[in-house]
Amino acid sequence: MKEKKVLFVVAQTNFRDEEYFDPKNILEQAGILTTTASISKGEATSVFGKTIPVEISISDLNPDDYSAVIFVGGAGSKVYFENPTAHKIAQEMLNSGKIVAAICIAPTTIAKAGILKGKKATSFSSAKNDLIASGAIFTGKSVEKDGNIITADGPDSAKEFGKEILKALQGST
């Protein structure tokens, strides 16, 4: 699994702790390398006040370098809903046969990127209408996988979300 690299996209402020730390720990324990990206390099601060290093800005990264991208939720993730760079990352990763994952309200970002049309997906209840408006088939499950797209409904599902991403990475080449 060491050849696998996963990109976490967090908001600079108010990303949800469990939705970042739980999947990150699950993937790293399996030997997967992770990189954290945001609007700019430096530091990001979680909902509960934890700071993490941001290694790369989303505008400077190359989607070809990663096996998967995970858009982390939390109130701050709204910054990516209309962000063309975030949309391009999601589109390029999916078009390259890579895994695109999003949790909580972050599925709105990938919905607005146009990649959920006709796909089963889930999200936090407040994002449900955004997904439906973008053509997604909203299931309301805690975690949903449709092809290479994995979505989850929020912090309570963060561990299950991380395990589903790991399973998908283990099954991909």
Side-chain angles (χ1 to χ4, degrees), residues 5 25 29 47 58 72 131 134:
K5 284 176 64 178
N25 290 337
Q29 285 171 4
V47 168
I58 62 167
V72 176
L131 271 61
S134 297

Side-chain angles (χ1 to χ4, degrees), residues 130 147 153:
D130 289 333
D153 63 0

Side-chain angles (χ1 to χ4, degrees), residues 133-163:
S134 297
I137 302 159
F138 186 83
T139 66
K141 290 183 179 177
S142 55
V143 176
E144 183 64 69
K145 182 177 185 302
D146 189 335
N148 281 349
I149 299 172
I150 301 168
T151 51
D153 63 0
D156 292 343
S157 304
K159 284 188 173 110
E160 184 186 350
F161 177 64
K163 289 175 187 170

